[in-house]
Amino acid sequence: MGRRLLTGGIVWAGAACTPRAAWVLVDGVRIAAIGEGDESGGELPVADECVDLKGGHILPGFVDVHLHLSQAAWFPLGADGLSWASLADALHAVRVQAAADSEAPWLLFWRVARWTWPEGRLPTAAELDEAAPGRRVLVSTLDMHRGALSSAGLATLELTNHDSARFGGDITRDRRGRPTGELWEAAYTLALQRALTDLAAHTREAGTRAVLQAEVTRLLAYGITHAHDPYVAPDWHEEMLALHAGCPIRLSWGTGAPAGMQVRPPGPATAPDGWYGDSGREVKLFADGGDRCALRLPSRALVGLLGGALGESWRLRAAGPLREGLRRKLAIRPGHVATPYLRYTDPELATLVSDYVQAGVRVRIHALGNLAGGQAARVLAQLGVPPDAATIDHLLLLDPGTADQVAATGVAVSYQPGFLPRYGDMLTAARVGRYLTVAGGRLLLDAGVPLALSSDHPCGSVDPLHNLRAAIQRQFTGPDGQPRQLQPGQALTPSEAVRAATGTAAASLHAPGAGGLTPGEIADLVLCDGDPFHTGTRVVQTWIGGTPAWQHTNGAAP
Ligand SMILES: [Zn+2]
């Protein structure tokens, strides 16, 4: 492949990702040198091929440490519900889809923002049955932590009374004890996994491979050089190994329970052996949920949260948001209130973490709320888990004390500023930001936490440039259509954001690229047509190991 010289660009150079006018010499799979001379000044090195970037920017390849590739790949086979404004919109779309596709094993609907609906709630099984008689229907919320199933969909899960105990409140039941069709958290992921498994069987092996490969191509077009899927069901492990062998992208993944992402994992004995793609073995554990996240708040928050739900009901002129708000559990404790949604007791979580870590499996702990983040940090500290044997995901709602506890463990945190544009309106309406930091990047970084910026696609936008901008701009669109900022003091600097999306992210996976654009490092890089922090700037080439793995051809938008 020889020596390739990239000139005339701005290079986000070194481990600190500092932008400066420079050239980059790539020799084989690695970066050979970075220098400051150009046509007007110093010497340029000799190369076999020279590319003039004409003012474009060179960034290290984006390493997305939390991206649900194996789920998002199937989205094109369903219908998008993001623009639905009410229950009636939802049921209409289900009717249309049922008529349009009589063969599909499941009718799947994604990205439903039910909190913007006057009803606030998802359709019931009875309503879905009426819209699509006899069909298996799954409607998933935008955050992928709650869904609605038709009766035929519910029947595939064969829920028993034993499952009632196992999944507790994750299965909503009517007064007579029958499931209503609404599933939360672990029970929702059970339905999701079942639907995707049926879909994979329906598309057959070649179809499944094509679905996954198309998703990889989309990721490359966004400049992602390494994608890490936090949960791949053990029976999809071989499929991922085949995908990894057949695609240029660096790919790695974690495992968990066969039944679904949030179901309690069975222990390391049944985890697949060997490396999981380009990273070691890993398992995903949930300290709390997503829709049901575990928070600890000052007592006065009780009034604020209720006020938030009331405000939303007033704004939408409907009781839905208030009714939904009152369905939340709140535990009143001395001096504080808590949403009691931890999935494990401390000893249960400690046993799981200890079993996996001792077997050489890294743990990736989902903790959205500060109560869950505190539990994760406490358990890791108590067990003396080495920093490179664990990662904590999200910490979306945090407080300074918990940030310090997390920092003391030394583990990396995967962080999603892309949630701000997507959920900023909802979080602001809930008023939770009055008591906690929301995506508190500055708090985490100042506490000394290694921060890995990630998308959590499809819960968040996949586009790293969009997520980088969100990390410094922290904007969302308010209900009046005007742009607003959420806790601007939590912003990162551009260099901090790029470093979090590249070098620190790679380091957290023990993958190539931890040093950024530095001589001797692997040449995984992204060429952009302008400043990555300017709206409208796009990725034009994605290089992996010194070779372009994707390039923008005229008119072919990602
Ligand atoms: Zn996730």
Side-chain angles (χ1 to χ4, degrees), residues 134-183:
R135 303 294 294 272
R136 295 171 183 174
V137 184
L138 173 63
V139 177
S140 296
T141 53
L142 187 55
D143 56 60
M144 301 287 283
H145 283 269
R146 185 164 162 187
L149 280 176
S150 62
S151 296
L154 273 171
T156 65
L157 304 184
E158 296 169 346
L159 295 173
T160 59
N161 287 340
H162 170 72
D163 290 323
S164 266
R166 190 163 148 230
F167 293 107
D170 286 352
I171 303 168
T172 304
R173 292 175 183 272
D174 66 15
R175 286 201 188 96
R176 291 168 57 188
R178 295 167 306 193
T180 63
E182 181 189 53
L183 300 179

Side-chain angles (χ1 to χ4, degrees), residues 66 68 145 230 261 284 286 366 393-394 456 459:
H66 189 134
H68 298 277
H145 283 269
M261 184 168 73
K284 174 93 167 151
F286 283 78
H366 166 111
D393 284 340
H394 308 310
D456 201 3
C459 311

